[in-house]
Amino acid sequence: MTTGIQARRVGQLKTLFPEELRGTKTLNSARCFLFGNSLPKGIRVDPGIFFVFSIGGCFEKIRCCLFTVAISAVAASAADLPVRSYTKAPAAVAPVYSWTGFYVGLNAGGAWNQSRAATATVFVPGGYFDATSVPPIAPVGNQRINSSGFTGGLTAGYNWQVASAVLGIESDFNYFGVKGSTSGTGLYPAFPPFGFTVNSSASSDWLFTLRGRAGILVTPAFLLYGTGGLAIANVKSNFLFTDTADTANESASISTTRYGWTAGVGGEYALMNGWSVKAEYLYVDLGRASTTSTNLTTGVPSFAWPANVFTHSVDLRSNIVRVGLNYKFGGPVGAGY
C-alpha cells in the first residue's frame, strides 16, 4: 500500500517526467533508491531516469558530506587557535605634582626685633667727668630695644625633587619696616640730684636673604622644610647723651649694611597650575655694629671735651613670621614616585 511519502515521490516523478513514466511498470533496481524495498505497482522507472535521479541523489549526499566536513574543519581550526588573553587596562592615575623648577613669588608678614644698645665712656684726667661719675653711665646705657613692624617683598628660587625629598635655593628681598627706641636715666653719685639721660634707637629698612632649603614631602603636594643661610640688612641707630649738671650733650649714629645669618622652618602646599602657598618662620641675627664719638660739649656757649670718648654699639635680631604665594614655571605635574 502506497504511503504518503511514496505518493509524493511518485507525484514528483510524474511531474518531472510525465512521458517516461506513462504506462511503465516496476523497475526493481529503483525501489531501494526511491521508495525503499517496494514500488507501487504499475510504476516503472526507466533506467536512464533512475540514473539521473541516482546521480542527483549522490550529488546531494556529497554536498551534505562536504558541508559537514567543512563545518568540522572550521571547528577544529578554531579549536587549534591560541586563546586570546585580555589584559585589563590600568586604572587612570592622577598626575603627581613635581616640585622641580624655577619659581617666583610674593611674601608678607610681621617682624619682631630685639636690639641691644650700649653707651659707655672712660675717665680721662682733666676731662669733664669726675672719676665717680663714669661708672654709672655704662649700666644705664646698656639698653634693650624691642620693636615690630611689617615686612614683605619678592621671592625667587629653584627646587630639585628627588623622590620624596626636595632640595632648593631661595632668595628674597623685603621691605623691613621695624624701628624702636628707648631711654634710661641715672644720677651722678658725687653730685646728686644732678643726673644724666641716655637715648637709643634702632631701625632697618630692608632685608635680603639667600638660603638653602631642604624638605620632605608629607604628601605629594605638601612640603615641610628647613631653611638657612645668609642675611643682609641695613642697620641704623642713633644715640644721645645729656645731663642736667652742665647741659652736657653728646650724640652719635650708625648706618651700615650688616651681614649675618638666618634659619627657620616652613611648610608649602601645592595648588594647581604651578601655584603654591607657604607659611614660614625665620630667625635673623645681624650681629653688632659700633661707633665712637668725641663730640661732647657742655655749657652755653658750648665748650668741647674731645678727650672724653664715647663708645656706642647696637645689634639686631629679628623673629619673622610670614606667608607667601609662589608660581613655579614649567609643567605643574610630573611622574609619580
Side-chain angles (χ1 to χ4, degrees):
M1 191 169 186
T2 304
T3 65
I5 296 175
Q6 291 173 338
R8 284 195 298 273
R9 291 182 179 177
V10 172
Q12 292 170 355
L13 290 174
K14 288 182 177 182
T15 302
L16 295 174
F17 305 99
E19 297 298 327
E20 287 80 355
L21 294 179
R22 183 180 297 115
T24 61
K25 293 185 178 181
T26 303
L27 180 64
N28 292 331
S29 59
R31 289 175 181 168
C32 294
F33 182 78
L34 294 176
F35 302 102
N37 293 325
S38 63
L39 186 69
K41 292 181 179 181
I43 299 299
R44 181 179 180 274
V45 179
D46 186 84
I49 298 174
F50 174 74
F51 176 76
V52 170
F53 279 95
S54 297
I55 293 301
C58 291
F59 282 152
E60 185 67 21
K61 291 181 179 181
I62 291 173
R63 186 178 69 173
C64 291
C65 291
L66 290 177
F67 179 76
T68 302
V69 171
I71 293 298
S72 300
V74 170
S77 176
D80 293 337
L81 290 176
V83 178
R84 179 179 296 177
S85 59
Y86 293 90
T87 304
K88 186 178 179 180
V93 179
V96 178
Y97 189 90
S98 172
W99 291 84
T100 298
F102 175 75
Y103 62 91
V104 295
L106 302 172
N107 69 81
W112 291 263
N113 286 9
Q114 297 176 345
S115 297
R116 292 173 299 178
T119 294
T121 189
V122 295
F123 172 73
V124 178
Y128 171 69
F129 295 106
D130 180 79
T132 63
S133 299
V134 171
I137 296 176
V140 173
N142 188 12
Q143 301 174 341
R144 184 178 295 274
I145 305 171
N146 294 322
S147 59
S148 61
F150 171 79
T151 180
L154 304 176
T155 301
Y158 191 90
N159 284 326
W160 294 269
Q161 180 178 346
V162 182
S164 60
V166 176
L167 306 175
I169 186 170
E170 182 175 280
S171 66
D172 53 67
F173 185 82
N174 283 19
Y175 168 73
F176 204 43
V178 288
K179 60 179 61 180
S181 63
T182 189
S183 65
T185 61
L187 295 175
Y188 292 128
F191 307 97
F194 298 109
F196 60 90
T197 300
V198 177
N199 295 280
S200 304
S201 68
S203 64
S204 180
D205 296 325
W206 56 266
L207 171 69
F208 171 81
T209 71
L210 178 61
R211 297 168 284 109
R213 293 205 318 172
I216 190 74
L217 291 172
V218 179
T219 70
F222 182 47
L223 172 68
L224 289 179
Y225 63 87
T227 182
L230 175 68
I232 306 174
N234 74 320
V235 175
K236 297 183 293 183
S237 187
N238 294 301
F239 304 89
L240 177 65
F241 174 88
T242 61
D243 76 1
T244 59
D246 195 12
T247 62
N249 185 290
E250 180 273 338
S251 63
S253 64
I254 295 174
S255 180
T256 183
T257 299
R258 296 296 302 169
Y259 295 81
W261 60 273
T262 180
V265 295
E268 187 168 356
Y269 187 79
L271 303 174
M272 59 177 61
N273 299 324
W275 293 98
S276 63
V277 293
K278 71 175 183 179
E280 67 182 5
Y281 163 79
L282 291 178
Y283 175 80
V284 176
D285 190 336
L286 294 167
R288 179 168 288 272
S290 62
T291 188
T292 60
S293 154
T294 59
N295 63 5
L296 176 66
T297 63
T298 61
V300 179
S302 64
F303 181 82
W305 301 88
N308 289 106
V309 178
F310 278 76
T311 301
H312 303 279
S313 65
V314 67
D315 66 7
L316 180 61
R317 294 169 294 164
S318 184
N319 295 279
I320 300 171
V321 177
R322 62 189 184 183
V323 295
L325 176 66
N326 292 338
Y327 177 76
K328 181 177 70 68
F329 295 94
V333 297
Y337 55 84

